[in-house]
Amino acid sequence: MVTFTLNGKELEVKEGTTILEVAREQGINIPTLCYHEEMSAYGACRLCLVEVVKRGWPSIQPACLYPAQNGIEVNTDTERVRKSRKILLELYLARSPDSQAIIDIAKEYGVRDTRFKLKESERSECILCGLCVRACAEISKRHAISFAHRGSKRMIQTPFAELADTCVGCQACAFVCPTGVIKIDEAD
Amino acid sequence: MEQEITTRVKPISAPADMAAMKEQCKAALERRKICFRVCAGTACIAGGSLDVYEELKNQIQQRGIDVNVELLFEGGETEAGASTSGCHGFCQMGPLVRVEPQGTFYNKVKVDDVPNIISATLEEQGVVEELLFENQDGTRATTEKEVPFYAGQKRIVLGGCGTINPEDIRNYFAVDGYQALAKCLREMSPEDVVEEVKKSGLRGRGGGGFPAGRKWESAAKAIGRPKYIICNADEGDPGAFMDRSLIEGNPQSVIEGMIISAYGVGAKYGVVYVRAEYPLAVTRLFKAIDQARDYGLLGNNIMGTGFDFDIEVFQGAGAFVCGESSALRASIEGLPGEPTAKYDHATDKGLWEKPTVLNNVETFANVPIIINKGADWYASMGTDNSKGTKVFSLVGNIVNTGLIEVEMGTTLRKIIFDIGGGIPDGKKFKAVQTGGPSGGCLPADKLDMPVDFDQLKEAGSMMGSGGMIVMDEGACVVNVAKYFIEFCNDESCGKCISCRDGSAALLDILDRICEGEGREEDLETMEDLCHCIDDASMCGLGTSLPNPVLSTLQYFRDEYLAHIKDKNCPAKVCKPLFTYEVITDNCKMCGLCFRNCPSDAVIWKKKEVAEIIQDKCVKCGICKEVCKFGAVE
């Protein structure tokens, strides 16, 4: 067991528990886009950032991956955290301006507009959270999709961009997609 | 290249045998009375140094002298021979040839110069005056020591680069090679080794600057087995070639450093992660590992002491991010080269979840020197918190492009002006980018700053692995920041939105400023975004990518404002922000601009003042360059 402080409250939890798991149990809201309790945490959406003070040093860490440790102090809603989240949401709005899921979270943080502009080729309703990739690999165990390319060219793809013969049409990818960008074509 | 070692070698059977081995190899190489040492670093090879080497060998042979190196090791002697070496450092003046033991230092040597060099050396005991380095006052420097480029340096790690043949381990033996390992195995316990490296104050040379001894100590104490030693040779910063040159020039020193590290922490396996884009380094590395194995310095029962350690080479496929430790490990494990969150130390759970020491090429190359000369000697060099020397690749708008090594704490001014020879073409110094794309851009008033890990960080830049890009007044800092952000956007793995889309958004703003469409609020927006990218990104690539923008905003804010408010690029780089015009009073109506314009944008007739048609002008600047009367501005 480890003891640490979350938003001023001292808590004792099992070793290896992440900050996000503890926070959700405590009813503390931390926004996420790439997290699902049935799958491994990935840490790509960065929205779950929290401020952690360890041995006097403050740093910003993703709650979904960061394990609770003895003596640390965690705050889920500091000025620094809110500022970073707001800018991340501006980036999400620049990437997926028409996605209702993004617009809704942004609204919660008072973000209605974005100062940033991405090229047409960099915009997409897919936010590359990787939930579909993990669902396919960890839940359905089909490994039919994965990330391809890097940087702004990164995308979700089947092997060699061909119809994946391991795909059984289970639709788990579409089910977990937070922006609903994966469409199921019943005909095939 | 030189002949392969053909004779079957006898492995070293005890650490005590190394001393005799050194004497034997030294004596053998000294039986070659004169050696023409040709630089075979990548830059000199590109300049034709291998042809010079072949020609030297041919011509010596034509004089009836046997140039076979094996002859020396069989006890024979020769009048003269030729040999290759790794990078001498002075890439600007290559191909380089040094005559040993006199030390005569020839630069820009061509195949046609070979007869002169040979006859001057072998017949007249003289020198070829016109191939010697010419000082600014017209005097000639005969040896390297007299050349200002070398005079200000302290070449310790690079000591073997440029003086020994990197493809023959016996050359390394002759200059104290593997004496440090023998010393460790003979008289030091693993704890002593770690303690010695700790005491030396050696900090990681890959960028982070973490104390190497402390890293080794944690790995030595870790419980998991087996343990791994990884040498990070995935050098990817634009304009950086320190690690490449070290591996090309003295691969055995890196291997010896890894073996000593393995002995200190109790590791059995080592991996060198090297870029596949470094073919010469890869070839020499493979050769060096094979030769070390032949001599019983790698593999089972090293030097007959029962200590086992072997090294594998892993060639990276070219992703910059794979130089980041967790991505590098993922790449070796066969996973996509993508960083993962690290809350366990790699010294506890690294490669394959086992205790791992990961150090940079230069860090390992420092180790044999520390063991040989002692931690106290090493710690006497440098500043309070940065000991020893640092290798830099000096590039950009600088007279002496090349590979240098200076004591920690040397000022930027000394590096750029004394060693680097200053800025070419009488232009003014503007800025220097240290630490590669993750570093910062420092202005002229930082020139007297001593270079060490902490000072650079405080100034908003970083040591990085040692790339140093010098810029003259012709460089536009906005454009420079744009270049580095473009690089990071290309090389981001794309996992974190902050790094992937954050860099793309930064690039969009910088693009706009360079096009003359910048807005005043852009500067604040960029600062906000930069701080978010730093806070929110997972790995070092993301957290440091804002540095070029933040440092230029800090030191060159006026230049950003000139772009935004005055729609003017003071350095005349951003094409939409300036025009070329003919100054009527200065124009002598010669028509040179008209004849040289590549886009027919100049109207001119005999005895008439030229005129530039802005619609056709591509702003290449040739008209300004060719005008002898300063009539184009």
Side-chain angles (χ1 to χ4, degrees):
Chain A
M1 300 298 273
V2 292
T3 314
F4 77 108
T5 325
L6 182 62
N7 290 355
K9 190 173 164 193
E10 196 169 281
L11 296 166
E12 199 184 39
V13 298
K14 232 173 81 189
E15 199 173 340
T17 319
T18 64
I19 303 295
L20 184 67
E21 286 164 343
V22 184
R24 294 239 157 128
E25 222 164 78
Q26 294 287 320
I28 298 169
N29 178 35
I30 296 177
T32 58
L33 281 169
C34 74
Y35 178 79
H36 194 289
E37 56 266 31
E38 296 302 323
M39 291 177 245
S40 62
Y42 187 55
C45 80
R46 315 311 287 173
L47 280 183
C48 69
L49 296 177
V50 293
E51 197 164 334
V52 176
V53 184
K54 189 177 176 181
R55 293 190 208 109
W57 289 94
S59 67
I60 298 286
Q61 300 289 350
C64 69
L65 290 167
Y66 201 81
Q69 293 155 57
N70 272 324
I72 59 168
E73 215 181 282
V74 181
N75 283 297
T76 61
D77 202 25
T78 64
E79 181 60 35
R80 189 171 163 195
V81 165
R82 286 188 73 83
K83 201 167 174 192
S84 276
R85 273 191 204 147
K86 277 184 175 178
I87 292 172
L88 288 172
L89 287 165
E90 281 189 76
L91 285 174
Y92 276 113
L93 280 179
R95 179 181 184 87
S96 332
D98 304 322
S99 163
Q100 197 54 47
I102 299 293
I103 293 169
D104 289 346
I105 297 189
K107 226 184 251 170
E108 270 179 52
Y109 280 80
V111 178
R112 285 165 202 282
D113 210 355
T114 176
R115 290 171 287 171
F116 310 124
K117 207 179 133 209
L118 296 181
K119 290 193 199 83
E120 183 63 47
S121 61
E122 292 163 349
R123 284 198 292 261
S124 165
E125 281 205 39
C126 171
I127 55 165
L128 297 169
C129 66
L131 274 173
C132 54
V133 176
R134 279 173 284 150
C136 191
E138 296 172 19
I139 307 286
S140 317
K141 302 202 164 33
R142 305 309 299 173
H143 298 272
I145 45 175
S146 184
F147 290 106
H149 308 291
R150 64 170 183 248
S152 290
K153 296 188 186 75
R154 189 169 161 103
M155 58 169 77
I156 306 288
Q157 215 169 52
T158 53
F160 307 105
E162 288 167 4
L163 267 180
D165 47 17
T166 54
C167 174
V168 288
C170 71
Q171 309 185 11
C173 51
F175 178 75
V176 293
C177 179
T179 60
V181 68
I182 303 178
K183 305 275 186 292
I184 301 298
D185 191 344
E186 296 286 352
D188 279 333
Chain B
M1 289 269 158
E2 287 190 27
Q3 270 147 327
E4 307 281 328
I5 303 176
T6 44
T7 37
R8 274 180 67 100
V9 302
K10 206 171 131 245
I12 309 280
S13 57
D17 293 353
M18 271 321 294
M21 179 57 101
K22 176 191 168 178
E23 291 314 317
Q24 200 186 321
C25 293
K26 205 171 156 224
L29 291 168
E30 278 167 3
R31 284 195 289 271
R32 175 170 56 191
K33 288 187 187 139
I34 287 173
C35 176
F36 297 93
R37 180 78 61 193
V38 184
C39 177
T42 295
C44 280
I45 290 180
S49 72
L50 291 183
D51 294 337
V52 171
Y53 167 69
E54 288 302 328
E55 187 62 19
L56 276 164
K57 244 177 27 177
N58 284 340
Q59 298 224 2
I60 297 169
Q61 257 168 334
Q62 278 168 19
R63 290 168 178 256
I65 300 170
D66 195 343
V67 293
N68 185 357
V69 187
E70 291 314 311
L71 192 78
L72 303 171
F73 290 99
E74 285 157 16
E77 58 173 51
T78 81
E79 280 306 306
S83 182
T84 52
S85 74
C87 182
H88 293 211
F90 206 1
C91 308
Q92 182 79 35
M93 300 305 284
L96 305 167
V97 176
R98 191 189 319 105
V99 185
E100 297 166 354
Q102 296 91 322
T104 319
F105 177 62
Y106 294 122
N107 41 72
K108 296 204 171 164
V109 179
K110 290 182 199 67
V111 173
D112 296 344
D113 298 324
V114 171
N116 286 340
I117 295 179
I118 299 254
S119 60
T121 316
L122 299 184
E123 285 160 21
E124 299 145 28
Q125 264 88 54
V127 295
V128 186
E129 193 75 17
E130 63 268 25
L131 291 176
L132 295 175
F133 179 78
E134 189 179 357
N135 288 309
Q136 272 172 345
D137 59 5
T139 55
R140 299 273 181 175
T142 317
T143 63
E144 281 170 15
K145 277 187 196 135
E146 298 163 34
V147 178
F149 176 76
Y150 288 104
Q153 296 190 47
K154 208 162 201 173
R155 292 171 82 88
I156 291 167
V157 176
L158 294 179
C161 282
T163 53
I164 61 170
N165 175 5
E167 301 198 9
D168 185 341
I169 193 170
R170 295 169 301 185
N171 281 246
Y172 184 60
F173 289 152
V175 292
D176 278 338
Y178 287 97
Q179 298 297 332
L181 178 62
K183 185 177 170 185
C184 291
L185 293 176
R186 200 177 54 224
E187 56 191 62
M188 294 170 86
S189 68
E191 294 76 23
D192 291 342
V193 172
V194 172
E195 195 50 42
E196 192 74 2
V197 174
K198 249 175 92 179
K199 222 170 78 183
S200 73
L202 174 67
R203 289 173 69 171
R205 298 294 195 248
F210 190 82
R214 264 174 56 199
K215 193 184 270 185
W216 292 17
E217 187 177 43
S218 315
K221 284 183 183 156
I223 320 159
R225 294 283 185 283
K227 295 177 182 177
Y228 295 101
I229 305 290
I230 304 179
C231 173
N232 186 351
D234 192 53
E235 180 177 57
D237 292 0
F241 47 88
M242 297 79 53
D243 297 346
R244 193 198 73 209
S245 303
L246 254 171
I247 295 180
E248 285 175 5
N250 195 356
Q252 295 292 357
S253 68
V254 182
I255 295 171
E256 189 183 358
M258 288 179 73
I259 305 172
I260 293 172
S261 168
Y263 175 71
V265 307
K268 275 190 160 45
Y269 305 102
V271 180
V272 182
Y273 190 97
V274 59
R275 306 178 62 176
E277 297 98 317
Y278 281 176
L280 187 61
V282 171
T283 314
R284 289 187 182 164
L285 195 58
F286 273 118
K287 229 178 213 174
I289 290 173
D290 283 347
Q291 291 178 7
R293 277 195 200 122
D294 288 346
Y295 277 93
L297 303 167
L298 276 177
N300 289 336
N301 197 18
I302 292 174
M303 288 193 191
T305 59
F307 165 52
D308 305 336
F309 177 69
D310 210 347
I311 295 176
E312 255 180 69
V313 175
F314 192 98
Q315 295 184 58
F320 177 70
V321 73
C322 285
E324 196 274 343
S325 59
S326 64
L328 186 148
R329 290 192 322 249
S331 171
I332 295 176
E333 289 172 12
L335 301 167
E338 209 179 270
T340 42
K342 303 162 276 203
Y343 305 115
D344 294 309
H345 291 293
T347 46
D348 286 320
K349 281 184 180 176
L351 184 62
W352 307 110
E353 299 279 297
K354 299 295 177 192
T356 303
V357 165
L358 184 138
N359 277 134
N360 163 269
V361 172
E362 194 187 330
T363 315
F364 282 121
N366 268 291
V367 172
I369 302 164
I370 292 171
I371 300 291
N372 274 333
K373 300 203 172 179
D376 293 332
W377 172 84
Y378 190 83
S380 70
M381 291 184 296
T383 60
D384 284 353
N385 293 314
S386 306
K387 301 297 182 192
T389 59
K390 179 77 192 83
V391 179
F392 291 102
S393 55
L394 205 51
V395 297
N397 304 121
I398 187 132
V399 174
N400 302 331
T401 300
L403 184 73
I404 64 157
E405 182 178 350
V406 292
E407 189 170 343
M408 288 275 190
T410 307
T411 62
L412 281 170
R413 188 183 298 281
K414 189 171 174 198
I415 294 174
I416 295 166
F417 289 91
D418 295 351
I419 298 169
I423 315 298
D425 305 326
K427 288 192 178 165
K428 268 203 277 191
F429 168 87
K430 181 166 189 177
V432 56
Q433 172 89 15
T434 69
S438 332
C441 216
L442 302 175
D445 62 17
K446 295 279 169 203
L447 276 174
D448 290 309
M449 192 181 78
V451 174
D452 74 7
F453 285 105
D454 307 318
Q455 298 257 6
L456 281 172
K457 200 164 179 190
E458 211 168 286
S461 182
M462 62 191 263
M463 180 75 85
S465 54
M468 209 174 256
I469 304 173
V470 181
M471 290 164 250
D472 68 19
E473 54 195 328
C476 164
V477 291
V478 185
N479 197 56
V480 167
K482 194 177 102 176
Y483 167 81
F484 284 117
I485 297 301
E486 206 168 353
F487 178 86
C488 289
N489 177 252
D490 252 1
E491 293 297 341
S492 160
C493 79
K495 183 175 186 170
C496 302
I497 179 166
S498 42
C499 172
R500 177 190 69 229
D501 292 350
S503 60
L506 266 181
L507 197 55
D508 170 69
I509 299 175
L510 288 166
D511 260 335
R512 232 170 356 85
I513 296 176
C514 290
E515 294 285 323
E517 287 156 29
R519 299 186 285 263
E520 245 171 274
E521 66 270 21
D522 282 343
L523 300 190
E524 203 194 317
T525 308
M526 281 203 292
E527 275 163 340
D528 279 353
L529 180 54
C530 282
H531 291 130
C532 167
I533 295 174
D534 180 3
D535 265 354
S537 303
M538 184 179 279
C539 80
L541 193 156
T543 55
S544 62
L545 90 81
N547 284 353
V549 175
L550 288 175
S551 62
T552 48
L553 276 173
Q554 182 182 350
Y555 297 119
F556 299 94
R557 208 176 184 90
D558 286 350
E559 199 163 330
Y560 277 93
L561 290 173
H563 281 75
I564 293 170
K565 279 187 177 166
D566 312 335
K567 308 288 171 210
N568 174 30
C569 172
K572 306 277 174 282
V573 172
C574 303
K575 288 181 178 176
L577 294 180
F578 64 92
T579 53
Y580 285 105
E581 315 257 356
V582 177
I583 302 167
T584 319
D585 290 349
N586 292 1
C587 182
K588 298 276 190 277
M589 309 169 205
C590 68
L592 259 183
C593 52
F594 167 77
R595 282 192 291 274
N596 283 288
C597 177
S599 61
D600 296 330
V602 181
I603 307 180
W604 170 84
K605 273 185 203 134
K606 261 187 188 166
K607 292 181 188 167
E608 269 181 35
V609 171
E611 190 193 339
I612 298 170
I613 309 295
Q614 296 302 338
D615 287 352
K616 284 186 170 181
C617 177
V618 293
K619 296 175 187 173
C620 64
I622 289 178
C623 51
K624 187 182 171 186
E625 237 167 71
V626 296
C627 180
K628 293 173 181 158
F629 312 105
V632 182
E633 268 305 324

